[in-house]
């Protein structure tokens, strides 16, 4: 068997997926070819190196760190709760101030609507001489007539 | 303490019960996380996150499943999320490569006393290649491989953690082993 063929089969051989005949042929080649044999051994050793890298030691500081984080989580929760409690009275006073403001605005609006029944002419009549209020609205002719009327 | 009692106590935020749980599972979970992230410091951080998640969502744990299965599931998800988040950023990738170089340091148990500098270098290189082969595996194969090879969980528990059938686990591990070896071999030949 040539080296190239062996290379294709080494992975399957190590997984025990080759037939007895194929395995024997491969083993025969490995016994005479040092290059393929070394490669096969290297691969087998590398595959097992993960198992040797395992974490097996108990770390007491790890537990301490996790517990500290859990405590911080609890404190954070409590902190959020107390913030809500603190916020509640403040929110109440803001709500009260807003209600007062709305009441005032509403009152003013209502009083304005009450006056709206009077039109512009009524104002002029009521004010008598105070047509100056609407001076800009009058034409020169109207102003002249008004002045004449005053003279008479 | 029986598992049921432990869970009930943790649900009532019993600190002592939680401490017992961490002590009971810390080696297994640190090891599982290390199997995925391949860096001890990162594995410690991810394992801490796993236990905090356990503490935070213990009320979601349905007691019809095994507690260990549930914790392993959280560990797998957290580890995969960690890997994904690292891969997402370019800076993360650069950092990962740097860390991979560090993590490729061969532990003393692997190197025999007679090993010379050349042999040490070769073993470091092989371990690096093995890590690269593991990273290249599809996610499902990677989970099955790590839980079987590194954590040495029985197939049934792996099936429960992954929520797949027993035959699927067998097939995943078979394919993972085959892919790992052929990738490793190709890389070894190139170098």
């Amino acid at each position: 068997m040539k080296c190239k063929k062996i290379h294709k089969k080494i992975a399957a051989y190590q997984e025990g997926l080759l037939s007895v005949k194929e395995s024997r042929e491969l083993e025969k080649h490995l016994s005479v070819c040092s290059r393929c044999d070394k490669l096969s051994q290297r691969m087998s050793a590398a595959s097992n190196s993960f198992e040797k890298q395992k974490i097996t030691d108990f770390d007491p500081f790890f537990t301490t760190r996790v517990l500290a984080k859990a405590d911080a989580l609890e404190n954070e929760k409590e902190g959020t709760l107390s913030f809500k409690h603190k916020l509640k009275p403040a929110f109440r006073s803001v709500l009260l101030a807003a209600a007062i403001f709305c009441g005032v605005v509403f009152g003013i609006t209502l009083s304005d609507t009450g006056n709206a029944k009077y039109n512009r002419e009524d104002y002029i009549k009521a004010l008598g001489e105070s047509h100056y209020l609407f001076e800009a609205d009058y034409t020169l002719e109207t102003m002249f007539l008004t002045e004449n009327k005053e003279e008479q | 303490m029986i598992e049921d009692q432990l869970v009930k106590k943790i649900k009532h935020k019993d600190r002592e019960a939680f401490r017992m749980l961490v002590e009971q599972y810390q080696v297994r979970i640190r090891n599982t996380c290390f199997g995925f992230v391949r860096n001890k410091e990162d594995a410690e951080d991810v394992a801490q996150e796993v236990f905090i998640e356990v503490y935070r969502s213990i009320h979601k744990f349905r007691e019809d499943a095994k507690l260990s299965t549930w914790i392993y599931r959280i560990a797998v998800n957290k580890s995969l999320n960690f890997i994904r988040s690292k891969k997402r950023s370019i800076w993360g990738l650069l950092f990962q490569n740097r860390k991979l170089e560090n993590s490729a340091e061969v532990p003393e148990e692997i190197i025999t006393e007679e090993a010379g500098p050349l042999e040490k270098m070769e073993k470091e290189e092989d371990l690096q290649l093995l890590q690269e082969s593991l990273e290249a595996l599809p996610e499902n194969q990677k989970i099955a491989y790590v839980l079987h090879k590194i954590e040495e969980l029985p197939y049934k528990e792996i099936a429960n953690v992954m929520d797949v059938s027993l035959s699927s686990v067998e097939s995943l591990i078979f394919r993972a082993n085959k892919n790992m070896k052929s990738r490793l071999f190709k890389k070894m030949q190139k170098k």
Side-chain angles (χ1 to χ4, degrees):
Chain A
M1 218 186 265
K2 282 182 182 174
C3 292
K4 230 180 182 181
K5 265 189 176 178
I6 293 290
H7 292 173
K8 280 180 187 168
K9 288 182 176 178
I10 282 184
Y13 168 70
Q14 289 190 352
E15 284 302 300
L17 301 170
L18 293 185
S19 67
V20 182
K21 196 188 163 193
E22 280 177 314
S23 296
R24 274 185 196 157
E25 275 178 30
L26 198 135
E27 280 162 8
K28 201 177 159 188
H29 178 88
L30 293 181
S31 65
V32 290
C33 179
S34 60
R35 196 174 157 264
C36 289
D37 187 43
K38 203 200 166 192
L39 207 59
S40 169
Q41 279 179 19
R42 222 178 123 188
M43 205 166 99
S44 176
S47 305
N48 296 327
S49 58
F50 267 171
E51 286 158 28
K52 288 175 186 166
Q53 257 198 325
K54 274 172 124 184
I55 293 175
T56 48
D57 58 314
F58 178 83
D59 181 2
F61 300 111
F62 178 85
T63 312
T64 317
R65 284 195 291 270
V66 172
L67 288 176
K69 275 195 174 181
D71 289 343
L73 192 78
E74 282 298 310
N75 291 340
E76 201 178 292
K77 270 185 192 171
E78 278 172 22
T80 321
L81 278 176
S82 62
F83 181 68
K84 273 181 192 169
H85 288 301
K86 279 174 198 168
L87 204 67
K88 225 174 180 179
F91 181 71
R92 271 183 195 159
S93 46
V94 168
L95 201 71
L96 190 70
I100 293 168
F101 178 76
C102 287
V104 171
V105 170
F106 189 64
I108 291 168
T109 319
L110 267 184
S111 63
D112 280 351
T113 334
N115 290 341
K117 58 187 174 185
Y118 300 104
N119 55 27
R120 202 159 69 171
E121 280 69 31
D122 291 332
Y123 271 117
I124 293 166
K125 275 182 192 171
L127 290 169
E129 303 298 312
S130 57
H131 55 270
Y132 298 110
L133 275 173
F134 304 98
E135 205 166 295
D137 294 341
Y138 285 78
T139 57
L140 281 172
E141 200 181 349
T142 328
M143 282 174 78
F144 176 70
L145 285 171
T146 322
E147 275 167 21
N148 279 349
K149 205 178 174 184
E150 276 172 9
E151 277 170 16
Q152 282 169 7
Chain B
M1 198 187 289
I2 305 165
E3 201 174 277
D4 293 355
Q5 289 175 335
L6 196 70
V7 171
K8 270 178 196 164
K9 284 192 172 180
I10 299 171
K11 278 184 179 173
H12 288 101
K13 302 289 170 200
D14 186 324
R15 198 176 185 272
E16 192 53 30
F18 182 59
R19 190 184 59 78
M20 280 174 75
L21 178 116
V22 177
E23 284 182 352
Q24 198 177 323
Y25 284 96
Q26 65 143 293
V27 176
R28 283 186 266 177
I29 296 307
R30 279 162 58 217
N31 197 35
T32 306
C33 296
F34 178 65
F36 287 101
V37 302
R38 308 305 309 163
N39 175 283
K40 283 194 178 171
E41 286 162 25
D42 288 342
E44 295 277 323
D45 290 345
V46 178
Q48 279 184 32
E49 275 181 41
V50 171
F51 284 108
I52 293 301
E53 187 59 44
V54 168
Y55 186 73
R56 195 185 280 147
S57 28
I58 190 84
H59 62 278
K60 289 180 194 165
F61 171 62
R62 284 174 291 130
E63 281 160 52
D64 52 344
K66 262 174 84 179
L67 181 65
S68 62
T69 307
W70 185 66
I71 298 176
Y72 273 124
R73 205 173 284 168
I74 294 175
V76 169
N77 287 336
K78 288 270 176 197
S79 303
L80 292 177
N81 283 345
F82 178 83
I83 295 168
R84 280 185 212 124
S85 69
K86 264 197 163 180
K87 275 185 184 168
R88 264 199 290 270
S89 76
I90 302 163
W91 288 109
L93 259 179
L94 289 171
F95 189 59
Q96 194 183 24
N97 286 339
R98 195 175 63 80
K99 283 207 162 179
L100 203 66
E101 280 164 22
N102 295 340
S103 66
E105 211 170 279
V106 185
E108 280 174 21
E109 307 89 69
I110 296 176
I111 305 162
T112 52
E113 279 178 17
E114 304 92 54
L118 262 176
E119 205 174 326
K120 193 188 169 194
M121 256 178 68
E122 198 177 66
K123 284 193 171 163
E124 279 181 3
E125 206 179 88
D126 288 353
L127 192 62
Q128 174 87 37
L129 295 178
L130 191 71
Q131 287 180 9
E132 283 170 18
S133 308
L134 177 70
E135 273 167 34
L137 283 181
E139 214 159 72
N140 267 2
Q141 287 181 26
K142 200 193 287 177
I143 299 170
Y145 183 87
V146 168
L147 292 179
H148 172 63
K149 197 94 174 172
I150 294 162
E151 197 39 41
E152 289 175 15
L153 285 188
Y155 280 20
K156 203 182 171 191
E157 182 137 27
I158 297 174
N160 289 336
V161 172
M162 294 180 73
D163 206 15
V164 292
S165 67
L166 206 62
S167 55
S168 300
V169 173
E170 282 171 356
S171 149
L172 283 170
I173 291 172
F174 175 78
R175 277 185 284 153
N177 274 329
K178 206 177 156 193
N179 284 341
M180 281 282 286
K181 290 227 163 153
S182 47
R183 277 200 182 104
L184 186 65
F185 194 74
K186 274 177 196 166
K187 284 179 182 190
M188 276 181 173
Q189 270 184 309
K190 276 181 196 170
K191 292 225 169 179

